[in-house]
Amino acid sequence: MSEPELLFCLHFLGGSARSWAPLARALDGTLTCVPVELPGFGQEAGHSGFSVDAMADHVAEAIRARAPAAFAIAGHSMGAKVALALARRSEDGAPGLEGLTDLILISGSPPSPEPIPEERRSHMRSWIDADPETRQREARKFVRANVGTGLDAETEDRAVADVLQAAPAAWKAWLDSGAREDWCRRIGLLRTPALILAGSEDADLGPDAQLALTAPHLAHHRRVTVDGVGHLLPLERPDALAGLIREHLGARPAGPDRPAPTVPPAYAALIASERVNGRLRGALHARAEPDDPAYRPEALDPVELAILRAAFARVLPASGIDFAARLDRRLVSGDGDGWRFSALPPDAEAYRAALRTLDAAARAAQDRPFVALDGAHQDALLTLCAQTGLKVPDALGGRLDADRMRFWFEDLRADAVRLWLGHPAALARIGFSGIGAGGDRPGEIASDLPGFREVGLDAPEAWEPEPQQGTLQRMEAGR
């Protein structure tokens, strides 16, 4: 991959081009920073166009004006959501954006609506166009509330001045609309290498928010938590940020390694033999293919897919098989078993609702998203699902009641087992030789077809592979 010539830098809510000056100095000689002020902020305070799309248009024009062959985008907070929208355009082939090589996302606003408490949002909105004394006082409080250990006086004064320079209309538009825009499905899954950064002291867009809401959209990413830092990393630790960017560019992250489970040679030979019907052989070969580490979901959105992966990992851990991606494909195709609980909506809708409910329950119980919980806490919530004991908070996004969550969790467990036992490595593990009951000669009489001749108890035939674990029961057709 090409090395970027320029780093286009998109600031946080209330920031400006000056917000990037410390990083530009720290990166001097490594990468040229090109700050782009978003409409309504800094020197662009008089310009309108405050939606995510409009801001992305504004930045795209600035990139095309420079016409770099290769470039990266750094997005901080509000700017990160705009950066993700630009990455989607780039991967979709938008003219002038083909050269995007990397994303640097700092305390990023995710594609999903920002997880900011309404009380804080309302307070931020209330003072931006108040009297000068109130604005000055609240702007300083805003800056101080968003750092970990404080800024030096000069840096703090510049940050406060930038906040005061912001157009109140732009400030309110972000709080009322931009931060609430749901780009989850529009962004989908991006393949652009990304560095996701968060401060350990960031209350709303810290490590948990990045793990749950930003990382699921990036196939090739690395997440780093910077200890002691709040929301304003480019101002608090510009030298550390520069070092992390250099490190990222020196060794871009790869996708997750998911080597497919190995099908033992004896079982592979059975699949290849004339005993196995051609259609079944094709299906088994397809199931044995490695899963795409950059799988882009269709029935679910990327956040829901991440929750489903976490749930499957607790229900039936299976190295090398992406159950969630396989289930998403099944939900899209409608190729299910034709059965569902009458209390639940159709499968795809039920899964979407249940996964959002599970996440809401995790936030209510532990004040953390489900994917950020340790295994014990995830198990506790899933056990409550099975026992009709899950507390479902409507205010946090709960969509199914406890009874329907129990039904859904029964379906999930059945789907996990079905997906696992459909894989030839699992069939080999349990010694299932029923796939050898017939070949491709439907016109012949039964006695001429391949199949079983010995049907007594514990009387395997010579062609049947042995199970990998001798204690498992044989599961042969007709036994």
Side-chain angles (χ1 to χ4, degrees), residues 169-193:
W171 180 276
K172 291 179 180 180
W174 179 255
L175 294 172
D176 293 343
S177 179
R180 299 177 189 268
E181 288 185 31
D182 190 347
W183 280 65
C184 199
R185 287 191 175 275
R186 289 178 68 180
I187 297 297
L189 191 86
L190 299 167
R191 295 174 180 264
T192 304

Side-chain angles (χ1 to χ4, degrees), residues 229-321:
V229 170
H231 189 63
L232 304 182
L233 176 59
L235 298 178
E236 295 180 72
R237 303 270 186 84
D239 290 332
L241 175 56
L244 290 166
I245 292 173
R246 290 191 193 96
E247 184 180 337
H248 166 80
L249 295 177
R252 290 181 175 91
D257 185 18
R258 293 182 183 274
T262 301
V263 179
Y267 206 80
L270 172 59
I271 294 173
S273 74
E274 66 172 5
R275 291 182 171 276
V276 178
N277 176 274
R279 285 184 61 192
L280 176 57
R281 183 183 301 112
L284 292 170
H285 283 320
R287 294 172 193 169
E289 286 292 317
D291 292 305
D292 181 1
Y295 175 75
R296 186 173 181 179
E298 296 182 55
L300 307 176
D301 66 37
V303 171
E304 293 159 352
L305 188 74
I307 300 169
L308 183 58
R309 281 176 173 146
F312 271 136
R314 304 311 305 170
V315 170
L316 202 163
S319 177
I321 301 180

Side-chain angles (χ1 to χ4, degrees), residues 195-199 207 222-226 244:
L195 174 62
I196 303 173
L197 301 168
R222 183 167 73 101
R223 289 184 297 107
V224 177
T225 299
V226 185
L244 290 166

Side-chain angles (χ1 to χ4, degrees), residues 324-409:
R326 292 179 181 225
L327 179 63
D328 182 81
R329 285 197 296 271
R330 197 208 78 190
L331 294 174
V332 171
S333 69
D335 185 21
D337 57 11
W339 184 94
R340 67 180 172 89
F341 288 104
S342 61
L344 290 176
D347 288 348
E349 183 182 343
Y351 263 94
R352 289 192 294 267
L355 292 166
R356 292 292 183 174
T357 300
L358 181 62
D359 192 58
R363 293 173 188 274
Q366 301 294 331
D367 198 28
R368 302 187 74 187
F370 184 79
V371 297
L373 299 179
D374 61 28
H377 285 105
Q378 289 178 340
D379 287 349
L381 287 169
L382 293 173
T383 298
L384 288 173
C385 282
Q387 297 173 346
T388 325
L390 194 71
K391 294 182 179 179
V392 182
D394 293 338
L396 293 176
R399 302 177 188 178
L400 298 182
D401 60 23
D403 279 333
R404 289 186 292 173
M405 286 298 288
R406 175 172 64 86
F407 293 141
W408 165 76
F409 189 50

